[in-house]
C-alpha cells in the first residue's frame, strides 16, 4: 500500500502536466492500494484529482482520495500553508498507521512558493519526494 501526495503549481495546465508526467504518475500509482492526497486548488491538484476520477469511472484505480481545501475566507493568506501542513501531516500519519510508503510528486512552475514549501514539509516528514520542474 502507498500514500501518494501530488502537489504543484496552481497555474499548471493540462498540457504542462502531461509533458511533466503527472497523468502517468497517477495512472501508474492507481494500480496499487492506497491513498491519493491532494489539495483543492486549480492546476496540479485539480488535474491529479480529475485523472483519478476518470480512472475510477473506468474501474481502474485502487486509490482512495483525500482532498484538502484551503479556507481562504477564514485564514486569509495563511490558508495555503495551513492546508499544506494539514495535508502533509495527514499523509504522514496514514503512512505510519498502515506501515506504507509515503511518496510525493511535486510539480513546481517558476517560483511556486507554496509547492516548494510543501516539498520541504514532505521531506521533513520522511516522504520520498520526486520533483518535476515545469518550465513556463
Amino acid at each position: 500500500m502507498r500514500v501518494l501526495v501530488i502537489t504543484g503549481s496552481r497555474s499548471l495546465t493540462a498540457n504542462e502536466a502531461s509533458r511533466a508526467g503527472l497523468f502517468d504518475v497517477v495512472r501508474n500509482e492507481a494500480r496499487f492500494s492506497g491513498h491519493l492526497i491532494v489539495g483543492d486548488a486549480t492546476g496540479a491538484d485539480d488535474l491529479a484529482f480529475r485523472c483519478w476520477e476518470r480512472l475510477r469511472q473506468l474501474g481502474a484505480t485502487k486509490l482512495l482520495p483525500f482532498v484538502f481545501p484551503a479556507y481562504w475566507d477564514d485564514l486569509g493568506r495563511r490558508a495555503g500553508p495551513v492546508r499544506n501542513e494539514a495535508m502533509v501531516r495527514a499523509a504522514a500519519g496514514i503512512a505510519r498507521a498502515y506501515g506504507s510508503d509515503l511518496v510525493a510528486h511535486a510539480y513546481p512552475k517558476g517560483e511556486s512558493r507554496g509547492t516548494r514549501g510543501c516539498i520541504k514539509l514532505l521531506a521533513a516528514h520522511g516522504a520520498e519526494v520526486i520533483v518535476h520542474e515545469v518550465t513556463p
Side-chain angles (χ1 to χ4, degrees):
M1 190 177 104
R2 298 174 192 244
V3 177
L4 171 64
V5 177
I6 300 287
T7 185
S9 172
R10 288 179 290 184
S11 67
L12 191 71
T13 67
N15 285 338
E16 291 167 334
S18 182
R19 284 195 312 272
L22 184 145
F23 302 125
D24 292 333
V25 166
V26 176
R27 276 192 297 271
N28 289 336
E29 292 291 331
R31 299 175 298 147
F32 303 102
S33 295
H35 299 86
L36 171 65
I37 311 286
V38 295
D40 187 22
T42 59
D45 295 348
D46 181 57
L47 293 166
F49 183 78
R50 285 193 294 158
C51 181
W52 171 86
E53 202 166 40
R54 181 68 180 134
L55 292 169
R56 181 185 54 81
Q57 291 168 350
L58 297 171
T61 183
K62 295 180 180 180
L63 293 172
L64 297 174
F66 287 94
V67 179
F68 286 77
Y71 297 102
W72 298 104
D73 290 342
D74 297 329
L75 299 173
R77 295 185 69 191
R78 293 187 10 235
V82 168
R83 183 260 327 276
N84 288 349
E85 178 80 23
M87 187 170 74
V88 170
R89 285 178 181 249
I94 292 167
R96 267 193 313 278
Y98 287 99
S100 305
D101 294 330
L102 176 55
V103 178
H105 287 262
Y107 297 86
K109 180 178 169 183
E111 186 179 4
S112 288
R113 287 182 307 168
T115 302
R116 295 193 192 283
C118 197
I119 291 167
K120 290 177 184 173
L121 286 170
L122 286 157
H125 280 85
E128 174 189 351
V129 183
I130 298 99
V131 179
H132 308 266
E133 293 287 343
V134 178
T135 54

